[in-house]
Amino acid sequence: MTAAPHIEVEDLVIRYGAVQAVGPVSFTVGAGEQMTLLGPSGCGKTTTLRAVAGLEKPYSGRIRVGGRVMFDGAANINLPAEERGLSMVFQSYAIWPHMTVFENVAYGLKVRRKSAAEIKERVREALALVKMEAFADRHASQLSGGQQQRVAVARACAFSPSVLLFDEPLSNLDAKLRGNMRIELRELQHRLGVTSLYVTHDLEEALAMSDQILVMNAGNIEQNGSPDAIYNCPRTTFVADFVGSSNLIRGKVLRDRSSADTVVIETDGGQVIHAATCGRQYGDTACLSVRTVHLDIADAASAPPQHPNRWPAKIERSVFLGDLTQIHVMWGGRELIIRRAGPQHWQEGQQIVLSADPAHCTLLEDN
Ligand code: ATP
């Protein structure tokens, strides 16, 4: 069951002078869902987030949260940020170093003129959420980066906002801490059941944290879907390339062998490859995406059993990268890249059998 939409963005356009930075884009975020805006630097994700927050005035379109109009270009409505009931966590934490942890978290509640007793209780609850109760009296300047970001999250949660907005909140942390904080934030978001919009350019972060991912490119939406759909069924060459590592294979469609569920294409190198259509239309030529982890290799003697996609190929080189090994293979006059877990023992020039499940060879919409 999909949740009722809590954030509704419709035909949103954001301009800086003559330059159109975003749009038109439309999307919805279900109540209690975490949606991530994912894309390369400059694609417009932060600008979109800031428009929802009320920190950027869009050129046109509509933004509603919980049914309330936040922005409507045609009706000339643009609610100020402080009246939107949303909370934002920034990459830079934006906590005040001269205040204690308690004072930082209490700040928004004081501005909202809550009673001293309520402030005390709400701050205690918020600090408990991020496991920072013991630090209430510590000056914020005496905290590590990870602790400062926890305080920023507590501050954002303290007044029970209707939406949490995150702008690359983990980018300033080291890789290990980022991995842990990712899980903590995801659990917190689930526990609170709060709708959130999260911006990142980090693929792993987006896959690990999101219910829905919206992949952006040059101010527009390339694809909107679950992490599984985005990874396993990329729609365009941009998504296939940006979301994980893919081999892109172009070729001519063999009409007499293609069906509603599968498409068969012949590459320039003469190889024939069977792939899943994912319900997409195709013309005379097509482009397929095959993830580097979805190609299998075996030595010619112990090749796996029957597969429609099974070809002789030759090892070019093998590069050990720690957790995985990247193997370059010559196939039909071009190179394919394969990634396997751990060390691998392939020799340069070795003849092998390469195979790929057609379900993991995905037809893209553009070619
Ligand atoms: P990053 O990950 O680098 O922050 P982003 O995807 O969040 O990138 P935005 O910051 O939203 O990208 O920027 C989108 C586009 O709008 C970019 O081309 C950027 O140069 C432009 N832009 C952003 N802010 C302004 C501004 N204040 N004035 C003019 N152009 C701007």
Side-chain angles (χ1 to χ4, degrees):
M1 197 178 79
T2 48
H6 189 62
I7 303 175
E8 296 164 276
V9 172
E10 220 182 313
D11 296 330
L12 186 72
V13 173
I14 304 167
R15 285 189 177 171
Y16 294 110
V19 178
Q20 185 146 319
V22 172
V25 296
S26 301
F27 62 91
T28 60
V29 188
E33 269 184 3
Q34 165 128 326
M35 157 83 86
T36 297
L37 306 181
L38 173 71
S41 182
C43 71
K45 50 198 190 298
T46 298
T47 305
T48 305
L49 186 82
R50 288 172 59 84
V52 174
L55 301 173
E56 205 72 66
K57 188 174 178 210
Y59 176 75
S60 61
R62 279 160 299 285
I63 300 170
R64 286 193 297 180
V65 175
R68 251 177 98 210
V69 178
M70 303 282 139
F71 173 81
D72 187 328
N76 207 18
I77 298 171
N78 187 30
L79 237 58
E82 61 277 13
E83 288 177 26
R84 296 192 177 197
L86 320 176
S87 222
M88 188 145 160
V89 179
F90 298 89
Q91 179 176 352
S92 58
Y93 321 145
I95 60 171
W96 293 285
H98 60 286
M99 291 186 191
T100 64
V101 166
F102 181 94
E103 288 163 346
N104 262 288
V105 179
Y107 186 82
L109 296 164
K110 278 192 184 147
V111 170
R112 287 174 178 78
R113 300 185 182 286
K114 303 289 179 194
S115 71
E118 184 177 352
I119 291 176
K120 202 169 161 200
E121 182 55 18
R122 292 256 198 132
V123 172
R124 196 193 56 74
E125 280 172 9
L127 287 177
L129 280 177
V130 295
K131 305 186 191 83
M132 288 289 287
E133 308 102 300
F135 294 80
D137 298 326
R138 182 105 44 111
H139 267 271
S141 58
Q142 298 164 334
L143 300 174
S144 71
Q147 290 166 336
Q148 289 188 40
Q149 195 53 299
R150 284 200 179 88
V151 173
V153 171
R155 184 181 56 187
C157 294
F159 65 93
S160 309
S162 114
V163 169
L164 280 174
L165 304 169
F166 294 94
D167 187 9
E168 308 243 12
L170 307 183
S171 303
N172 286 347
L173 307 177
D174 65 59
K176 193 149 190 197
L177 187 55
R178 211 159 56 221
N180 293 338
M181 284 287 287
R182 197 183 272 173
I183 297 167
E184 277 184 35
L185 279 185
R186 177 64 171 154
E187 283 175 1
L188 181 68
Q189 190 263 335
H190 263 177
R191 218 159 9 152
L192 297 176
V194 62
T195 309
S196 47
L197 195 54
Y198 192 101
V199 160
T200 186
H201 62 269
D202 184 314
L203 168 68
E204 259 188 35
E205 202 162 293
L207 292 174
M209 298 188 64
S210 321
D211 295 307
Q212 296 289 320
I213 298 176
L214 204 141
V215 183
M216 292 186 74
N217 177 24
N220 292 303
I221 297 173
E222 283 274 330
Q223 190 169 354
N224 182 355
S226 66
D228 180 61
I230 295 281
Y231 184 83
N232 286 315
C233 219
R235 205 166 63 78
T236 61
T237 47
F238 177 85
V239 177
D241 217 26
F242 189 75
V243 180
S245 52
S246 261
N247 294 285
L248 296 178
I249 302 171
R250 292 182 172 80
K252 204 168 74 200
V253 174
L254 298 180
R255 292 280 178 190
D256 53 342
R257 297 217 233 154
S258 300
S259 72
D261 304 327
T262 57
V263 61
V264 180
I265 73 164
E266 186 173 19
T267 70
D268 286 346
Q271 304 288 18
V272 171
I273 181 164
H274 296 244
T277 63
C278 292
R280 290 167 189 158
Q281 303 295 316
Y282 48 88
D284 294 336
T285 58
C287 184
L288 305 177
S289 155
V290 190
R291 296 274 175 223
T292 55
V293 293
H294 286 149
L295 281 167
D296 283 318
I297 41 180
D299 59 44
S302 66
Q306 269 320 74
H307 234 316
N309 291 330
R310 200 164 173 278
W311 313 275
K314 193 174 78 171
I315 302 285
E316 284 282 290
R317 64 185 166 282
S318 176
V319 185
F320 180 55
L321 299 174
D323 286 347
L324 44 86
T325 300
Q326 181 162 300
I327 305 149
H328 299 241
V329 162
M330 192 49 78
W331 172 84
R334 63 162 285 182
E335 192 179 77
L336 293 180
I337 292 178
I338 301 161
R339 288 185 170 168
R340 320 287 312 156
Q344 298 280 315
H345 304 286
W346 303 101
Q347 305 300 323
E348 197 180 314
Q350 187 178 343
Q351 294 293 333
I352 47 108
V353 173
L354 178 68
S355 60
D357 184 337
H360 288 139
C361 305
T362 307
L363 179 72
L364 301 173
E365 277 184 6
D366 53 352
N367 59 27

mmCIF file of all heavy atoms in Angstrom, residues 321-361:
data_model
loop_
_atom_site.group_PDB
_atom_site.id
_atom_site.type_symbol
_atom_site.label_atom_id
_atom_site.label_comp_id
_atom_site.label_asym_id
_atom_site.label_seq_id
_atom_site.Cartn_x
_atom_site.Cartn_y
_atom_site.Cartn_z
ATOM 1 N N LEU A 321 40.991 -4.626 -5.815
ATOM 2 C CA LEU A 321 40.593 -3.357 -5.195
ATOM 3 C C LEU A 321 40.232 -3.537 -3.725
ATOM 4 O O LEU A 321 39.530 -2.729 -3.143
ATOM 5 C CB LEU A 321 39.383 -2.772 -5.937
ATOM 6 C CG LEU A 321 39.563 -2.435 -7.419
ATOM 7 C CD1 LEU A 321 38.238 -2.007 -8.046
ATOM 8 C CD2 LEU A 321 40.597 -1.335 -7.587
ATOM 9 N N GLY A 322 40.672 -4.642 -3.106
ATOM 10 C CA GLY A 322 40.353 -4.865 -1.693
ATOM 11 C C GLY A 322 39.109 -5.725 -1.558
ATOM 12 O O GLY A 322 39.166 -6.938 -1.732
ATOM 13 N N ASP A 323 37.958 -5.087 -1.270
ATOM 14 C CA ASP A 323 36.721 -5.857 -1.098
ATOM 15 C C ASP A 323 36.341 -6.575 -2.389
ATOM 16 O O ASP A 323 35.639 -7.573 -2.376
ATOM 17 C CB ASP A 323 35.556 -4.931 -0.714
ATOM 18 C CG ASP A 323 35.674 -4.461 0.727
ATOM 19 O OD1 ASP A 323 36.492 -5.051 1.460
ATOM 20 O OD2 ASP A 323 34.963 -3.515 1.100
ATOM 21 N N LEU A 324 36.753 -6.018 -3.508
ATOM 22 C CA LEU A 324 36.418 -6.665 -4.781
ATOM 23 C C LEU A 324 37.555 -6.579 -5.780
ATOM 24 O O LEU A 324 38.516 -5.840 -5.591
ATOM 25 C CB LEU A 324 35.131 -6.074 -5.370
ATOM 26 C CG LEU A 324 34.944 -4.580 -5.369
ATOM 27 C CD1 LEU A 324 35.579 -3.975 -6.589
ATOM 28 C CD2 LEU A 324 33.466 -4.266 -5.338
ATOM 29 N N THR A 325 37.420 -7.396 -6.823
ATOM 30 C CA THR A 325 38.406 -7.393 -7.901
ATOM 31 C C THR A 325 37.698 -6.974 -9.176
ATOM 32 O O THR A 325 36.578 -7.425 -9.452
ATOM 33 C CB THR A 325 39.021 -8.797 -8.069
ATOM 34 O OG1 THR A 325 39.654 -9.148 -6.841
ATOM 35 C CG2 THR A 325 40.040 -8.834 -9.194
ATOM 36 N N GLN A 326 38.314 -6.075 -9.919
ATOM 37 C CA GLN A 326 37.734 -5.627 -11.188
ATOM 38 C C GLN A 326 38.446 -6.352 -12.327
ATOM 39 O O GLN A 326 39.663 -6.259 -12.455
ATOM 40 C CB GLN A 326 37.898 -4.111 -11.305
ATOM 41 C CG GLN A 326 37.307 -3.556 -12.569
ATOM 42 C CD GLN A 326 37.094 -2.058 -12.448
ATOM 43 O OE1 GLN A 326 36.364 -1.588 -11.587
ATOM 44 N NE2 GLN A 326 37.746 -1.303 -13.304
ATOM 45 N N ILE A 327 37.652 -7.046 -13.126
ATOM 46 C CA ILE A 327 38.239 -7.863 -14.196
ATOM 47 C C ILE A 327 37.805 -7.284 -15.541
ATOM 48 O O ILE A 327 36.608 -7.038 -15.757
ATOM 49 C CB ILE A 327 37.764 -9.335 -14.064
ATOM 50 C CG1 ILE A 327 38.095 -9.844 -12.653
ATOM 51 C CG2 ILE A 327 38.408 -10.212 -15.121
ATOM 52 C CD1 ILE A 327 37.135 -10.858 -12.131
ATOM 53 N N HIS A 328 38.763 -7.042 -16.395
ATOM 54 C CA HIS A 328 38.476 -6.513 -17.730
ATOM 55 C C HIS A 328 38.521 -7.682 -18.711
ATOM 56 O O HIS A 328 39.501 -8.419 -18.739
ATOM 57 C CB HIS A 328 39.511 -5.462 -18.127
ATOM 58 C CG HIS A 328 39.513 -4.286 -17.201
ATOM 59 N ND1 HIS A 328 39.244 -3.015 -17.608
ATOM 60 C CD2 HIS A 328 39.740 -4.202 -15.865
ATOM 61 C CE1 HIS A 328 39.304 -2.190 -16.572
ATOM 62 N NE2 HIS A 328 39.611 -2.895 -15.504
ATOM 63 N N VAL A 329 37.444 -7.801 -19.484
ATOM 64 C CA VAL A 329 37.313 -8.958 -20.380
ATOM 65 C C VAL A 329 37.090 -8.471 -21.806
ATOM 66 O O VAL A 329 36.356 -7.505 -22.020
ATOM 67 C CB VAL A 329 36.107 -9.813 -19.906
ATOM 68 C CG1 VAL A 329 35.632 -10.757 -20.980
ATOM 69 C CG2 VAL A 329 36.470 -10.590 -18.663
ATOM 70 N N MET A 330 37.717 -9.106 -22.782
ATOM 71 C CA MET A 330 37.493 -8.762 -24.190
ATOM 72 C C MET A 330 36.372 -9.651 -24.733
ATOM 73 O O MET A 330 36.444 -10.879 -24.644
ATOM 74 C CB MET A 330 38.798 -8.968 -24.969
ATOM 75 C CG MET A 330 38.775 -8.391 -26.357
ATOM 76 S SD MET A 330 38.193 -6.680 -26.458
ATOM 77 C CE MET A 330 39.612 -5.771 -25.927
ATOM 78 N N TRP A 331 35.322 -8.995 -25.237
ATOM 79 C CA TRP A 331 34.099 -9.696 -25.646
ATOM 80 C C TRP A 331 33.585 -9.050 -26.937
ATOM 81 O O TRP A 331 33.312 -7.846 -26.936
ATOM 82 C CB TRP A 331 33.069 -9.546 -24.535
ATOM 83 C CG TRP A 331 31.676 -10.029 -24.808
ATOM 84 C CD1 TRP A 331 31.214 -11.307 -24.691
ATOM 85 C CD2 TRP A 331 30.546 -9.231 -25.184
ATOM 86 N NE1 TRP A 331 29.872 -11.350 -24.954
ATOM 87 C CE2 TRP A 331 29.427 -10.089 -25.268
ATOM 88 C CE3 TRP A 331 30.365 -7.877 -25.453
ATOM 89 C CZ2 TRP A 331 28.161 -9.634 -25.616
ATOM 90 C CZ3 TRP A 331 29.100 -7.424 -25.805
ATOM 91 C CH2 TRP A 331 28.009 -8.303 -25.884
ATOM 92 N N GLY A 332 33.548 -9.820 -28.008
ATOM 93 C CA GLY A 332 33.025 -9.287 -29.278
ATOM 94 C C GLY A 332 33.706 -7.991 -29.680
ATOM 95 O O GLY A 332 33.032 -7.046 -30.090
ATOM 96 N N GLY A 333 35.021 -7.916 -29.524
ATOM 97 C CA GLY A 333 35.769 -6.741 -29.985
ATOM 98 C C GLY A 333 35.678 -5.541 -29.064
ATOM 99 O O GLY A 333 36.168 -4.464 -29.393
ATOM 100 N N ARG A 334 35.058 -5.673 -27.887
ATOM 101 C CA ARG A 334 35.029 -4.556 -26.943
ATOM 102 C C ARG A 334 35.292 -5.057 -25.534
ATOM 103 O O ARG A 334 35.252 -6.276 -25.274
ATOM 104 C CB ARG A 334 33.682 -3.821 -26.990
ATOM 105 C CG ARG A 334 32.515 -4.685 -26.571
ATOM 106 C CD ARG A 334 31.319 -3.845 -26.216
ATOM 107 N NE ARG A 334 31.491 -3.209 -24.918
ATOM 108 C CZ ARG A 334 30.574 -2.449 -24.350
ATOM 109 N NH1 ARG A 334 29.434 -2.197 -24.969
ATOM 110 N NH2 ARG A 334 30.765 -1.931 -23.161
ATOM 111 N N GLU A 335 35.541 -4.098 -24.646
ATOM 112 C CA GLU A 335 35.878 -4.499 -23.286
ATOM 113 C C GLU A 335 34.638 -4.454 -22.396
ATOM 114 O O GLU A 335 33.839 -3.526 -22.492
ATOM 115 C CB GLU A 335 36.935 -3.526 -22.755
ATOM 116 C CG GLU A 335 37.579 -3.992 -21.487
ATOM 117 C CD GLU A 335 38.636 -2.997 -21.008
ATOM 118 O OE1 GLU A 335 38.261 -1.955 -20.443
ATOM 119 O OE2 GLU A 335 39.820 -3.270 -21.208
ATOM 120 N N LEU A 336 34.471 -5.438 -21.554
ATOM 121 C CA LEU A 336 33.428 -5.402 -20.521
ATOM 122 C C LEU A 336 34.124 -5.450 -19.167
ATOM 123 O O LEU A 336 35.211 -6.024 -19.035
ATOM 124 C CB LEU A 336 32.493 -6.607 -20.636
ATOM 125 C CG LEU A 336 31.594 -6.707 -21.868
ATOM 126 C CD1 LEU A 336 30.749 -7.980 -21.771
ATOM 127 C CD2 LEU A 336 30.701 -5.484 -22.012
ATOM 128 N N ILE A 337 33.472 -4.850 -18.172
ATOM 129 C CA ILE A 337 34.057 -4.855 -16.823
ATOM 130 C C ILE A 337 33.189 -5.698 -15.902
ATOM 131 O O ILE A 337 31.954 -5.596 -15.914
ATOM 132 C CB ILE A 337 34.228 -3.419 -16.310
ATOM 133 C CG1 ILE A 337 35.312 -2.733 -17.159
ATOM 134 C CG2 ILE A 337 34.607 -3.384 -14.835
ATOM 135 C CD1 ILE A 337 35.565 -1.301 -16.821
ATOM 136 N N ILE A 338 33.845 -6.505 -15.102
ATOM 137 C CA ILE A 338 33.157 -7.411 -14.179
ATOM 138 C C ILE A 338 33.724 -7.148 -12.794
ATOM 139 O O ILE A 338 34.939 -6.934 -12.656
ATOM 140 C CB ILE A 338 33.463 -8.877 -14.571
ATOM 141 C CG1 ILE A 338 32.992 -9.130 -16.001
ATOM 142 C CG2 ILE A 338 32.824 -9.865 -13.599
ATOM 143 C CD1 ILE A 338 33.643 -10.344 -16.615
ATOM 144 N N ARG A 339 32.870 -7.152 -11.796
ATOM 145 C CA ARG A 339 33.376 -7.015 -10.424
ATOM 146 C C ARG A 339 32.952 -8.215 -9.601
ATOM 147 O O ARG A 339 31.769 -8.563 -9.571
ATOM 148 C CB ARG A 339 32.858 -5.724 -9.799
ATOM 149 C CG ARG A 339 33.530 -4.526 -10.402
ATOM 150 C CD ARG A 339 33.138 -3.266 -9.721
ATOM 151 N NE ARG A 339 33.986 -2.173 -10.174
ATOM 152 C CZ ARG A 339 33.763 -0.907 -9.931
ATOM 153 N NH1 ARG A 339 32.716 -0.560 -9.210
ATOM 154 N NH2 ARG A 339 34.561 0.019 -10.384
ATOM 155 N N ARG A 340 33.908 -8.863 -8.956
ATOM 156 C CA ARG A 340 33.644 -10.025 -8.106
ATOM 157 C C ARG A 340 34.209 -9.758 -6.716
ATOM 158 O O ARG A 340 35.210 -9.051 -6.579
ATOM 159 C CB ARG A 340 34.327 -11.307 -8.628
ATOM 160 C CG ARG A 340 34.318 -11.537 -10.093
ATOM 161 C CD ARG A 340 33.007 -11.934 -10.689
ATOM 162 N NE ARG A 340 32.293 -12.998 -10.021
ATOM 163 C CZ ARG A 340 30.962 -13.155 -10.125
ATOM 164 N NH1 ARG A 340 30.251 -12.294 -10.801
ATOM 165 N NH2 ARG A 340 30.360 -14.158 -9.550
ATOM 166 N N ALA A 341 33.567 -10.380 -5.700
ATOM 167 C CA ALA A 341 34.031 -10.198 -4.317
ATOM 168 C C ALA A 341 35.396 -10.840 -4.118
ATOM 169 O O ALA A 341 35.671 -11.916 -4.685
ATOM 170 C CB ALA A 341 33.026 -10.816 -3.362
ATOM 171 N N GLY A 342 36.242 -10.168 -3.328
ATOM 172 C CA GLY A 342 37.522 -10.735 -2.890
ATOM 173 C C GLY A 342 38.522 -10.926 -4.009
ATOM 174 O O GLY A 342 38.307 -10.529 -5.149
ATOM 175 N N PRO A 343 39.666 -11.581 -3.665
ATOM 176 C CA PRO A 343 40.704 -11.807 -4.671
ATOM 177 C C PRO A 343 40.247 -12.815 -5.718
ATOM 178 O O PRO A 343 39.463 -13.716 -5.416
ATOM 179 C CB PRO A 343 41.882 -12.363 -3.860
ATOM 180 C CG PRO A 343 41.401 -12.572 -2.482
ATOM 181 C CD PRO A 343 39.999 -12.103 -2.347
ATOM 182 N N GLN A 344 40.721 -12.656 -6.936
ATOM 183 C CA GLN A 344 40.354 -13.556 -8.040
ATOM 184 C C GLN A 344 41.652 -14.004 -8.712
ATOM 185 O O GLN A 344 42.633 -13.272 -8.681
ATOM 186 C CB GLN A 344 39.484 -12.810 -9.057
ATOM 187 C CG GLN A 344 38.164 -12.320 -8.496
ATOM 188 C CD GLN A 344 37.123 -13.418 -8.433
ATOM 189 O OE1 GLN A 344 36.961 -14.181 -9.374
ATOM 190 N NE2 GLN A 344 36.427 -13.500 -7.322
ATOM 191 N N HIS A 345 41.594 -15.169 -9.300
ATOM 192 C CA HIS A 345 42.852 -15.695 -9.855
ATOM 193 C C HIS A 345 42.729 -15.934 -11.353
ATOM 194 O O HIS A 345 42.721 -17.069 -11.805
ATOM 195 C CB HIS A 345 43.252 -16.977 -9.114
ATOM 196 C CG HIS A 345 43.356 -16.743 -7.642
ATOM 197 N ND1 HIS A 345 44.401 -16.054 -7.083
ATOM 198 C CD2 HIS A 345 42.499 -17.031 -6.621
ATOM 199 C CE1 HIS A 345 44.223 -15.957 -5.771
ATOM 200 N NE2 HIS A 345 43.059 -16.532 -5.469
ATOM 201 N N TRP A 346 42.610 -14.897 -12.094
ATOM 202 C CA TRP A 346 42.522 -15.009 -13.550
ATOM 203 C C TRP A 346 43.820 -14.509 -14.153
ATOM 204 O O TRP A 346 44.398 -13.535 -13.672
ATOM 205 C CB TRP A 346 41.337 -14.198 -14.085
ATOM 206 C CG TRP A 346 40.035 -14.609 -13.473
ATOM 207 C CD1 TRP A 346 39.373 -13.969 -12.470
ATOM 208 C CD2 TRP A 346 39.276 -15.761 -13.781
ATOM 209 N NE1 TRP A 346 38.238 -14.650 -12.130
ATOM 210 C CE2 TRP A 346 38.147 -15.762 -12.923
ATOM 211 C CE3 TRP A 346 39.428 -16.818 -14.687
ATOM 212 C CZ2 TRP A 346 37.180 -16.764 -12.962
ATOM 213 C CZ3 TRP A 346 38.459 -17.801 -14.721
ATOM 214 C CH2 TRP A 346 37.356 -17.780 -13.867
ATOM 215 N N GLN A 347 44.255 -15.187 -15.205
ATOM 216 C CA GLN A 347 45.511 -14.811 -15.858
ATOM 217 C C GLN A 347 45.220 -13.984 -17.094
ATOM 218 O O GLN A 347 44.243 -14.261 -17.805
ATOM 219 C CB GLN A 347 46.278 -16.077 -16.318
ATOM 220 C CG GLN A 347 46.546 -17.094 -15.223
ATOM 221 C CD GLN A 347 47.380 -16.503 -14.104
ATOM 222 O OE1 GLN A 347 48.289 -15.702 -14.347
ATOM 223 N NE2 GLN A 347 47.051 -16.844 -12.863
ATOM 224 N N GLU A 348 46.066 -13.011 -17.337
ATOM 225 C CA GLU A 348 45.943 -12.220 -18.555
ATOM 226 C C GLU A 348 46.010 -13.151 -19.775
ATOM 227 O O GLU A 348 46.848 -14.045 -19.827
ATOM 228 C CB GLU A 348 47.109 -11.226 -18.592
ATOM 229 C CG GLU A 348 46.882 -10.112 -19.564
ATOM 230 C CD GLU A 348 48.064 -9.144 -19.589
ATOM 231 O OE1 GLU A 348 48.541 -8.760 -18.503
ATOM 232 O OE2 GLU A 348 48.498 -8.819 -20.701
ATOM 233 N N GLY A 349 45.074 -12.977 -20.691
ATOM 234 C CA GLY A 349 45.056 -13.801 -21.910
ATOM 235 C C GLY A 349 44.282 -15.103 -21.754
ATOM 236 O O GLY A 349 44.070 -15.832 -22.735
ATOM 237 N N GLN A 350 43.827 -15.431 -20.534
ATOM 238 C CA GLN A 350 43.124 -16.702 -20.297
ATOM 239 C C GLN A 350 41.774 -16.722 -21.030
ATOM 240 O O GLN A 350 41.037 -15.738 -21.023
ATOM 241 C CB GLN A 350 42.901 -16.858 -18.779
ATOM 242 C CG GLN A 350 42.342 -18.206 -18.374
ATOM 243 C CD GLN A 350 42.206 -18.308 -16.843
ATOM 244 O OE1 GLN A 350 42.804 -17.521 -16.084
ATOM 245 N NE2 GLN A 350 41.423 -19.270 -16.395
ATOM 246 N N GLN A 351 41.463 -17.829 -21.656
ATOM 247 C CA GLN A 351 40.167 -18.000 -22.329
ATOM 248 C C GLN A 351 39.141 -18.405 -21.273
ATOM 249 O O GLN A 351 39.402 -19.320 -20.481
ATOM 250 C CB GLN A 351 40.250 -19.092 -23.407
ATOM 251 C CG GLN A 351 41.154 -18.752 -24.589
ATOM 252 C CD GLN A 351 40.611 -17.600 -25.429
ATOM 253 O OE1 GLN A 351 39.411 -17.366 -25.482
ATOM 254 N NE2 GLN A 351 41.520 -16.857 -26.083
ATOM 255 N N ILE A 352 37.994 -17.746 -21.250
ATOM 256 C CA ILE A 352 36.972 -18.049 -20.245
ATOM 257 C C ILE A 352 35.589 -18.106 -20.912
ATOM 258 O O ILE A 352 35.460 -17.795 -22.097
ATOM 259 C CB ILE A 352 36.942 -16.990 -19.121
ATOM 260 C CG1 ILE A 352 36.949 -15.555 -19.705
ATOM 261 C CG2 ILE A 352 38.116 -17.128 -18.190
ATOM 262 C CD1 ILE A 352 35.710 -14.841 -19.602
ATOM 263 N N VAL A 353 34.585 -18.474 -20.100
ATOM 264 C CA VAL A 353 33.207 -18.406 -20.575
ATOM 265 C C VAL A 353 32.512 -17.323 -19.747
ATOM 266 O O VAL A 353 32.530 -17.351 -18.515
ATOM 267 C CB VAL A 353 32.488 -19.765 -20.416
ATOM 268 C CG1 VAL A 353 31.011 -19.623 -20.745
ATOM 269 C CG2 VAL A 353 33.136 -20.793 -21.314
ATOM 270 N N LEU A 354 31.933 -16.372 -20.455
ATOM 271 C CA LEU A 354 31.252 -15.233 -19.828
ATOM 272 C C LEU A 354 29.753 -15.489 -19.923
ATOM 273 O O LEU A 354 29.271 -15.969 -20.960
ATOM 274 C CB LEU A 354 31.636 -13.973 -20.611
ATOM 275 C CG LEU A 354 31.048 -12.642 -20.212
ATOM 276 C CD1 LEU A 354 31.590 -12.207 -18.859
ATOM 277 C CD2 LEU A 354 31.410 -11.589 -21.266
ATOM 278 N N SER A 355 29.009 -15.177 -18.859
ATOM 279 C CA SER A 355 27.557 -15.366 -18.955
ATOM 280 C C SER A 355 26.818 -14.282 -18.178
ATOM 281 O O SER A 355 27.384 -13.640 -17.284
ATOM 282 C CB SER A 355 27.158 -16.757 -18.433
ATOM 283 O OG SER A 355 27.533 -16.886 -17.092
ATOM 284 N N ALA A 356 25.554 -14.081 -18.551
ATOM 285 C CA ALA A 356 24.723 -13.066 -17.885
ATOM 286 C C ALA A 356 23.271 -13.511 -17.966
ATOM 287 O O ALA A 356 22.785 -13.886 -19.037
ATOM 288 C CB ALA A 356 24.890 -11.719 -18.562
ATOM 289 N N ASP A 357 22.602 -13.476 -16.827
ATOM 290 C CA ASP A 357 21.176 -13.796 -16.790
ATOM 291 C C ASP A 357 20.417 -12.700 -17.555
ATOM 292 O O ASP A 357 20.611 -11.515 -17.259
ATOM 293 C CB ASP A 357 20.741 -13.828 -15.316
ATOM 294 C CG ASP A 357 19.296 -14.254 -15.152
ATOM 295 O OD1 ASP A 357 18.521 -14.112 -16.118
ATOM 296 O OD2 ASP A 357 18.955 -14.703 -14.042
ATOM 297 N N PRO A 358 19.566 -13.064 -18.521
ATOM 298 C CA PRO A 358 18.827 -12.033 -19.269
ATOM 299 C C PRO A 358 18.065 -11.071 -18.354
ATOM 300 O O PRO A 358 17.916 -9.891 -18.679
ATOM 301 C CB PRO A 358 17.860 -12.845 -20.134
ATOM 302 C CG PRO A 358 18.536 -14.160 -20.306
ATOM 303 C CD PRO A 358 19.282 -14.415 -19.034
ATOM 304 N N ALA A 359 17.618 -11.560 -17.179
ATOM 305 C CA ALA A 359 16.874 -10.694 -16.252
ATOM 306 C C ALA A 359 17.748 -9.539 -15.754
ATOM 307 O O ALA A 359 17.236 -8.506 -15.318
ATOM 308 C CB ALA A 359 16.374 -11.503 -15.064
ATOM 309 N N HIS A 360 19.072 -9.722 -15.799
ATOM 310 C CA HIS A 360 19.991 -8.679 -15.342
ATOM 311 C C HIS A 360 20.551 -7.837 -16.484
ATOM 312 O O HIS A 360 21.436 -7.019 -16.284
ATOM 313 C CB HIS A 360 21.142 -9.297 -14.541
ATOM 314 C CG HIS A 360 20.712 -9.794 -13.201
ATOM 315 N ND1 HIS A 360 21.154 -10.967 -12.654
ATOM 316 C CD2 HIS A 360 19.837 -9.261 -12.304
ATOM 317 C CE1 HIS A 360 20.597 -11.140 -11.472
ATOM 318 N NE2 HIS A 360 19.782 -10.121 -11.238
ATOM 319 N N CYS A 361 20.044 -8.085 -17.691
ATOM 320 C CA CYS A 361 20.434 -7.249 -18.833
ATOM 321 C C CYS A 361 19.184 -6.407 -19.125
ATOM 322 O O CYS A 361 18.152 -6.925 -19.514
ATOM 323 C CB CYS A 361 20.779 -8.111 -20.044
ATOM 324 S SG CYS A 361 22.040 -9.337 -19.657
#
